[in-house]
Amino acid sequence: MSNTQHHPLNDYIEYPVEEMSSRSLQNYLDIKRRHSIRSFSDRPVPKEIIENCIRAAGTAPSGANHQPWHFVAINNSQVKSKIRQSAEELEQSFYQGRAGQEWLDALKPLGTNANKPYLEKAPWLIAVFLQKKGGVSNDGAQTNYYVHESVGIATGFLLQALHNAGLGTLTHTPKPMSFLSKICGRDNDTDRPYMLIVTGYPEVDATVPEHAINKKSLDDIATFIE
Ligand code: IYR
């Protein structure tokens, strides 16, 4: 039987409009400082921080609240090395032509290449998996809904949480990513690799490509119908 009980919304906080205004601006200024970086320090980051960030990701809304995600957080050197090795092999063929010229041209301003030392150096890699089936109890049978949307939102929450905690982040999507299932001990039939998040302290000489700082203006990204 399904549980149809409802609870009062007792953890909602209403702020005065002026405070909403300053909070919305402050949040924009804070998240605007998040940049994808590719140079990480090997300084350790306590597991508890990663746990809290994954807890935050797990509060994301999802289709029928099925929470169709699984996060594998890795700080084991051998496992990170395996991931680096597999990812670099794939990236080599990507950059040597599999990507096609248009894609390679689009990546040029970022200066990326097949070399991924940060996959070993950063203290934590978080592999995000998407589950097409499983339901709330993750019994494997029930269909999950809007899985890409749900996992995308949860991954956004995770990036925001890591940034808010004071960590640098990189979203990494080696293609194809199926090697991650095996390395992370997930069943590829149920758990599809969605994204790999690299996190840790930025290296002191970390840089951000000019191209990546240029964000579209509000006029470009939004239309208001009043
Ligand atoms: N996965 C490759 C290529 C890459 C693709 C996109 I789209 C990017 O925004 C950045 C990189 C790599 O990590 O190098």
Side-chain angles (χ1 to χ4, degrees), residues 7-17 20 23:
H7 290 269
L9 180 64
N10 53 15
D11 52 3
Y12 170 77
I13 302 173
E14 179 177 323
Y15 305 106
V17 171
M20 266 207 272
R23 288 174 68 93

Side-chain angles (χ1 to χ4, degrees), residues 38 91 94-95 103 107 110 112-113 116 172-174:
R38 294 176 177 82
E91 297 292 6
F94 175 89
Y95 282 97
W103 197 347
L107 292 179
L110 296 177
T112 54
N113 57 44
K116 309 290 178 197
H172 182 49
T173 49

